[in-house]
Amino acid sequence: YTTLFRSLQEESNLELALMSKRFWVSLVLAAPLLLVTMAAMLPAPQLGHILPAPLLPWIELVLATPVVLWGGLPFFERGWASVANRSLNMFTLVAIGTGTAYLYSLFATLVPEVFPDSFRLPSGDVPVYFEAAAAITTLVLLGQVLELRARSRTSSALKSLLKLAPKTALLLHDNGQEEEMMLDRIQPGDRLRVRPGEKVPVDG
């Protein structure tokens, strides 16, 4: 059990490290993306005119692509697995939502002329939703990091409890003699003696 527990803990720590890396990279890219898209709503409206409007979707595309396609890759994998296994879950929703927003925005940036007038803003531009896809991906990554950290703390607590268990047990033979033996040599049906103040070496 100890070897299996150690293996599971190492796997959990590796997953936490990888997910944390995805989160921080996504956060660094999503923050300026939100700033660019919300510039017109800032207290200083002139900030919204620093960058030419036709250039904004391309800047958003560059910033959002690593977040959605690399940062959100685990969600797309889990979302696809949930569909393949016919067991829909949160990752199904995240994958569909961010994937749809990103693909729509990608087409709106690359071929805006194919969209009808009903899809356009009063300015004639086709709106894009790169910031929504990137922000949702980053927030879900944060949730995963927090969950994995909590799971890692729980695993550490269980490991500490396992360390408190005694390594040997006092085997009581049929002739009344006692023999101290390693726990891995104890078999079902053996009789053990636990002296006053000693820890119970097994669970039954």
Side-chain angles (χ1 to χ4, degrees):
Y1 289 105
T2 303
T3 303
L4 176 61
F5 183 83
R6 186 182 300 112
S7 176
L8 291 175
Q9 187 179 37
E10 290 174 355
E11 182 178 347
S12 176
N13 291 339
L14 177 60
E15 185 181 5
L16 174 59
L18 293 176
M19 199 65 72
S20 297
K21 181 179 179 181
R22 290 181 189 273
F23 166 70
W24 287 111
V25 172
S26 297
L27 180 62
V28 168
L29 294 173
L33 174 60
L34 291 175
L35 182 62
V36 167
T37 55
M38 301 298 176
M41 303 179 186
L42 293 176
Q46 63 271 20
L47 292 177
H49 304 288
I50 294 177
L51 299 173
L55 190 60
L56 290 179
W58 293 97
I59 296 176
E60 295 178 35
L61 172 62
V62 171
L63 292 173
T65 297
V67 177
V68 176
L69 299 186
W70 177 76
L73 179 61
F75 308 143
F76 288 112
E77 292 175 342
R78 296 174 186 178
W80 174 256
S82 69
V83 173
N85 298 327
R86 298 182 181 180
S87 178
L88 306 184
N89 52 37
M90 177 193 74
F91 298 109
T92 316
L93 181 62
V94 172
I96 292 176
T98 57
T100 301
Y102 177 81
L103 289 176
Y104 172 86
S105 302
L106 180 64
F107 279 101
T109 302
L110 298 179
V111 284
E113 63 275 5
V114 303
F115 288 84
D117 293 339
S118 58
F119 281 73
R120 299 179 182 275
L121 298 172
S123 61
D125 298 325
V126 180
V128 294
Y129 303 97
F130 289 118
E131 82 286 353
I136 291 172
T137 300
T138 304
L139 288 174
V140 177
L141 282 170
L142 174 60
Q144 289 298 295
V145 169
L146 295 177
E147 178 183 342
L148 290 170
R149 283 183 180 175
R151 191 185 306 170
S152 177
R153 293 192 186 99
T154 302
S155 299
S156 298
L158 290 175
K159 187 177 181 180
S160 299
L161 287 175
L162 287 175
K163 289 181 178 178
L164 295 176
K167 307 300 181 185
T168 61
L170 198 61
L171 179 64
L172 183 62
H173 293 286
D174 293 337
N175 58 9
Q177 292 184 343
E178 301 174 355
E179 180 183 1
E180 189 172 7
M181 299 185 65
M182 299 298 296
L183 281 182
D184 56 3
R185 297 182 58 187
I186 301 300
Q187 301 296 325
D190 288 344
R191 292 190 302 161
L192 306 180
R193 184 186 299 278
V194 182
R195 300 188 184 100
E198 291 183 339
K199 298 175 183 176
V200 179
V202 294
D203 61 356

